[in-house]
């Protein structure tokens, strides 16, 4: 999801370099899933003697009226922040509006730079994280890029030893796999920031936003019914934010960076931050743009990753399934970025001995 001016909720096709074509005859056009050139990497977290093995996939979306377009999503992976072997960052940025890619790339370029130069990062990661998001938002407002109706959502994971710090603006998502006996469970580490959430709905309403679906705006449904069901079953007509007397900006998210018009009706850049301590039962986590989760629940994504030994194969499978579901429900698909990070050989000290997974 995004804003009705530029990115409504869709685009997309592709398969690993040199791999099989997952597009098939029913796709509007064929291409390959675009994996990064260094598609499988490993970084060691020496403080707790475990490794992170990760792979990234990017997929260009499909619009009938815009076959040739730039991917609005971008990602950031920076290992050994401040030359520290125990500090790494993974992020996904989903641009929207006329200057979508410029905004997602701007955030991508600046996040690691700001965190790397912040002397308080390890003393107070939460404060440093929030400061970085707000600083980038201010820089976006002051830049030459027109942010009147454009911006980006952002979700990032800062790994510090065996602790994950998540910062989220928007509706991309982080989900972690938790081993529970013979089962592997999915646990969302972030909450989508949309008007489906009562707290976000009430906050933007206090700032003057009208919250309506497109059908409500166009008179097909009663605008006084302020209930759109559950987000998991949101379909293609979610509640959106509109100025009091106008038909814009139409953002489906309630937090983002840039979006100076939407800021006036409560869309803010302050990230929601959560902290997670890793345990031997945490197998992997996924950082992905909302193009993945529009039709795939978190539990399905985790089940798909768990079915593959190689995260590259899991990335391709998720992208292919997402693409299929988009075209079954829409006449377009969304841009996608998926980062799968496997947690290998995590040891936890327990009363004088070590627990190993």
């Amino acid at each position: 999801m995004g804003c009705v001016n530029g990115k409504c909720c869709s685009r997309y096709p592709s398969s690993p370099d040199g791999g099989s074509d997952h597009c098939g005859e029913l796709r509007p056009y064929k291409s390959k899933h675009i994996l990064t050139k260094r598609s499988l990497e490993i970084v060691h977290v020496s403080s707790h003697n475990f490794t992170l093995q990760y792979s990234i996939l990017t997929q260009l979306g499909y619009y009938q009226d815009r076959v040739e377009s730039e991917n609005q999503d971008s990602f950031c992976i920076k290992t050994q922040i401040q030359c520290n072997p125990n500090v790494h960052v993974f992020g996904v940025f989903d641009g929207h509006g006329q200057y979508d890619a410029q905004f997602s790339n701007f955030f991508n370029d600046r996040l690691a730079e700001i965190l790397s130069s912040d002397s308080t990062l390890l003393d107070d990661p939460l404060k440093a994280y929030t400061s970085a998001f707000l600083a980038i938002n201010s820089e976006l407002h002051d830049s030459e890029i027109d942010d009147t109706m454009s911006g980006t959502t952002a979700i990032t994971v800062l790994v510090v030893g065996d602790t994950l710090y998540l910062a989220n603006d928007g509706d991309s998502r982080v989900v972690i796999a938790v081993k529970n006996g013979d089962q592997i469970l999915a646990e969302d580490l972030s909450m989508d920031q949309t008007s489906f959430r009562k707290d976000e709905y009430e906050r933007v309403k206090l700032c003057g936003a009208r919250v309506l679906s497109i059908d409500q705006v166009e008179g097909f449904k009663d605008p006084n019914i302020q209930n759109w069901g559950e987000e998991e079953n949101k379909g293609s007509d979610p509640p959106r934010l509109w100025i009091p007397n106008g038909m814009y900006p139409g953002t489906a998210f309630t937090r983002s960076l840039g979006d100076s018009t939407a800021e006036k009706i409560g869309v803010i850049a302050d990230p929601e931050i959560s902290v997670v301590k890793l345990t031997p039962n945490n197998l992997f986590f996924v950082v992905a743009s909302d193009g993945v989760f529009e039709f795939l629940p978190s539990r399905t994504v985790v089940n798909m990753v768990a079915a593959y030994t190689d995260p590259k194969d899991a990335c391709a499978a998720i992208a292919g399934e997402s693409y299929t579901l988009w075209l079954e429900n829409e006449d377009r698909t969304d841009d996608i970025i998926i980062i799968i990070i496997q947690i290998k050989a995590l040891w936890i000290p327990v009363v004088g001995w070590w627990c190993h997974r």
Side-chain angles (χ1 to χ4, degrees):
M1 279 186 288
C3 62
V4 293
N5 298 281
K7 177 185 175 185
C8 278
C9 19
S10 11
R11 290 150 308 175
Y12 159 133
S14 292
S15 108
D17 294 340
S20 60
D21 188 346
H22 291 267
C23 295
E25 299 82 20
L26 299 180
R27 304 319 193 241
Y29 67 101
K30 293 185 178 182
S31 69
K32 295 286 186 180
H33 293 304
I34 304 170
L35 287 162
T36 55
K37 291 181 180 179
R38 299 175 300 170
S39 56
L40 182 63
E41 299 213 23
I42 297 175
V43 63
H44 188 62
V45 181
S46 58
S47 61
H48 290 77
N49 197 31
F50 70 94
T51 60
L52 301 174
Q53 179 173 286
Y54 56 91
S55 186
I56 313 98
L57 180 145
T58 68
Q59 170 110 25
L60 183 63
Y62 168 77
Y63 279 113
Q64 289 183 334
D65 60 349
R66 190 171 45 146
V67 175
E68 296 299 329
S69 62
E70 185 177 2
N71 196 327
Q72 300 182 71
D73 299 354
S74 64
F75 69 90
C76 170
I77 294 178
K78 176 69 173 176
T79 60
Q80 300 188 7
I81 297 285
Q82 297 184 356
C83 298
N84 189 322
N86 306 309
V87 184
H88 319 283
V89 67
F90 302 86
V92 168
F93 318 111
D94 187 352
H96 49 264
Q98 182 177 358
Y99 305 106
D100 42 25
Q102 294 182 57
F103 278 93
S104 64
N105 287 321
F106 189 104
F107 195 100
N108 177 10
D109 293 339
R110 290 292 292 135
L111 178 63
E113 292 177 1
I114 291 176
L115 292 178
S116 295
S117 62
D118 190 335
S119 60
T120 69
L121 176 62
L122 297 183
D123 295 329
D124 194 345
L126 302 184
K127 181 179 179 180
Y129 232 164
T130 300
S131 297
F133 271 61
L134 296 181
I136 295 171
N137 190 55
S138 180
E139 290 178 9
L140 283 169
H141 288 333
D142 294 337
S143 73
E144 296 180 354
I145 312 172
D146 182 2
D147 70 352
T148 306
M149 300 288 285
S150 297
T152 186
T153 61
I155 187 145
T156 60
V157 179
L158 178 68
V159 181
V160 181
D162 65 345
T163 304
L164 306 183
Y165 296 89
L166 286 80
N168 182 37
D169 269 349
D171 51 6
S172 294
R173 193 178 300 176
V174 176
V175 59
I176 195 166
V178 182
K179 184 173 176 57
N180 182 16
D182 294 333
Q183 295 182 307
I184 297 178
L185 307 179
E187 180 180 336
D188 286 329
L189 299 186
S190 60
M191 293 179 65
D192 296 356
Q193 295 153 351
T194 71
S195 295
F196 283 106
R197 279 176 50 179
K198 182 180 179 181
D199 58 341
E200 290 291 282
Y201 168 83
E202 292 177 347
R203 183 179 60 76
V204 297
K205 288 287 285 186
L206 287 173
C207 294
R210 290 188 302 146
V211 182
L212 302 166
S213 69
I214 292 177
D215 278 353
Q216 289 175 312
V217 168
E218 295 180 346
F220 296 109
K221 292 184 179 179
D222 186 350
N224 294 314
I225 298 177
Q226 296 282 281
N227 187 333
W228 300 272
E230 297 295 326
E231 184 166 12
E232 198 74 14
N233 304 310
K234 58 183 174 280
S236 59
D237 192 22
R240 297 177 179 275
L241 277 56
W242 314 88
I243 65 168
N245 298 303
M247 301 288 285
Y248 61 91
T251 60
F253 45 78
T254 55
R255 301 193 189 209
S256 69
L257 299 107
D259 291 305
S260 59
T261 297
E263 268 192 359
K264 299 173 183 176
I265 53 172
V267 175
I268 58 176
D270 302 64
E272 288 186 317
I273 298 181
S274 55
V275 182
V276 177
K277 196 85 166 178
L278 293 175
T279 76
N281 291 325
N282 296 136
L283 307 179
F284 56 82
F285 59 96
V286 179
V287 187
S289 57
D290 69 311
V292 169
F293 297 105
E294 185 73 13
F295 299 108
L296 283 178
S298 296
R299 62 183 177 277
T300 301
V301 170
V302 164
N303 288 342
M304 292 181 72
V305 176
Y308 292 90
T309 301
D310 192 327
K312 298 193 305 297
D313 296 330
C315 281
I318 292 168
E321 182 66 10
S322 298
Y323 182 56
T324 298
L325 292 173
W326 269 102
L327 291 179
E328 287 178 357
N329 290 275
E330 305 281 347
D331 60 0
R332 61 188 188 274
T333 70
D334 200 1
D335 291 339
I336 281 179
I337 288 185
I338 311 166
I339 309 174
I340 297 175
I341 304 100
Q342 295 179 329
I343 304 163
K344 299 287 188 179
L346 177 62
W347 292 71
I348 301 294
V350 180
V351 194
W353 55 281
W354 289 82
C355 176
H356 174 245
R357 179 181 62 73

